[in-house]
Amino acid sequence: MGADFVFVDAVARPELAALVRHDPSGALDRTGANQALAGRVWGDPVLDISTDLSVSALSPGTAEAVAKVVENAVGHGKAVDLVALATEVVVAGLVAHAGAPCDAAAVAAWVRDLEASYGVFDAMVPIATPAVRRRVAARDALVDALDVPLFSLMVASARNASMAVVASMLQLAQDPDAQAQHRADLSSCALELAGLQVATGLHAVLAAAVQNHGHGGVWRQACRATTIDGMPIPEGALVGLTDGRTVGVGEASVRGLDESFGLGLPELRLPEVLALLGLSVMLRAGSWSVRTAPRRWTPAFLPGMGWPVGPVRVAVDGG
């Protein structure tokens, strides 16, 4: 039924976990693992999803595109779907940054279908369930609408950034004083890369959201037959870290998400920039409150942010 799975307990055997993260032999490949797991969740074949997430400057009009989405979505006391809004905010920012001539709202809807909650069953038992068929249809629509580089950026950035916005806004919406402080801090920050870099208060909020809701662990694929602590690992096997109980939960999962999200690196990476931009624009719109909180968060099997279960609705009062 496809690749073998090998799990390394990062709590009981931290030295083996370090070896999986940084294999000196070069036999364990991160990109190949993410490619294989994505194929199981979205359906094969999957386009190359390895991409450069560095960003040196935001393209002109990026902040304006995000602000337009927020302005159109919110009104005084109007409850909005936070997942839908966060996804469209991130997609609008990415499309504008890339200068792509496509409908950001339509792309956001496909991204939500593509990135809808999936779990261990989808990747461990890759069969064509209705959920998989919906994700494959969304993938095909995105491939038709976007060129390959932009599709790669969308896959690499959209889920992590949008779910980080959701988690961060839910946290901030429960603390009006913190929102007011962030708005005051943002008043002197331009909505461009340099301004986002100095918004250290929002960096802390975002980092907390990732720590609390980041899942997916560290995954590698054996590009050739190898061994880990004497155990043979066949070529093509998927090697994942676990905390000894659940795949992708615990310290290992946060480190895995850091690899793709880029927290703590000297330069901001694209998912973090898009999340910070979305949060900045939304906070400038006014004071937010939670109308309907998610029942819980479910972990994703792929490295990335979890997904809120149940409706998530917020409202904003004019600021």
Side-chain angles (χ1 to χ4, degrees):
M1 296 190 65
D4 296 319
F5 284 85
V6 177
F7 299 109
V8 174
D9 189 333
V11 175
R13 300 296 302 274
E15 74 283 4
L16 295 186
L19 181 64
V20 171
R21 290 194 185 98
H22 305 290
D23 174 28
S25 73
L28 300 178
D29 177 55
R30 174 189 168 206
T31 300
N34 290 345
Q35 191 85 7
L37 290 167
R40 286 170 166 256
V41 170
W42 299 332
D44 289 314
V46 173
L47 296 177
D48 181 11
I49 61 172
S50 60
T51 189
D52 181 11
L53 296 178
S54 62
V55 54
S56 58
L58 285 173
S59 300
T62 302
E64 289 79 2
V66 172
K68 184 177 180 181
V69 170
V70 175
E71 180 182 353
N72 290 340
V74 304
H76 184 79
K78 176 185 176 182
V80 296
D81 181 330
L82 181 56
V83 172
L85 176 58
T87 304
E88 190 167 351
V89 159
V90 167
V91 169
L94 181 53
V95 166
H97 174 66
C102 56
D103 181 353
V107 172
W110 292 325
V111 167
R112 288 198 300 276
D113 285 342
L114 179 69
E115 299 285 12
S117 179
Y118 43 76
V120 173
F121 179 82
D122 295 293
M124 298 285 277
V125 187
I127 59 177
T129 64
V132 169
R133 287 194 289 270
R134 286 194 299 272
R135 288 195 289 269
V136 169
R139 179 205 66 191
D140 291 344
L142 284 168
V143 170
D144 288 342
L146 310 173
D147 58 24
V148 172
L150 183 53
F151 175 81
S152 295
L153 283 175
M154 196 69 67
V155 168
S157 302
R159 179 192 178 93
N160 282 346
S162 59
M163 290 305 101
V165 170
V166 170
S168 298
M169 284 304 302
L170 284 172
Q171 176 184 332
L172 289 168
Q174 300 177 64
D175 191 342
D177 292 338
Q179 289 186 64
Q181 182 60 58
H182 287 300
R183 270 194 300 277
D185 294 342
L186 290 168
S187 64
S188 59
C189 296
L191 291 177
E192 56 189 31
L193 187 60
L196 297 175
Q197 286 173 326
V198 299
T200 55
L202 279 189
H203 289 218
V205 172
L206 193 63
V210 172
Q211 290 282 335
N212 291 332
H213 301 294
H215 296 282
V218 173
W219 287 98
R220 300 292 185 265
Q221 185 173 46
C223 54
R224 60 178 183 271
T226 186
T227 62
I228 296 179
D229 196 33
M231 180 174 62
I233 309 296
E235 180 179 357
L238 291 164
V239 181
L241 298 189
T242 172
D243 67 354
R245 297 165 299 165
T246 308
V247 177
V249 175
E251 186 271 343
S253 70
V254 174
R255 289 292 298 275
L257 183 56
D258 286 352
E259 289 182 352
S260 56
F261 205 78
L263 291 177
L265 297 179
E267 297 84 21
L268 296 179
R269 301 178 78 195
L270 188 59
E272 192 173 7
V273 169
L274 293 171
L276 288 169
L277 178 60
L279 286 172
S280 300
V281 172
M282 292 173 70
L283 284 170
R284 289 180 182 219
S287 180
W288 295 77
S289 60
V290 178
R291 295 297 178 85
T292 307
R295 297 196 299 273
R296 57 183 175 85
W297 284 72
T298 186
F301 193 64
L302 298 179
M305 291 292 290
W307 193 269
V309 176
V312 184
R313 302 186 71 79
V314 293
V316 61
D317 295 325

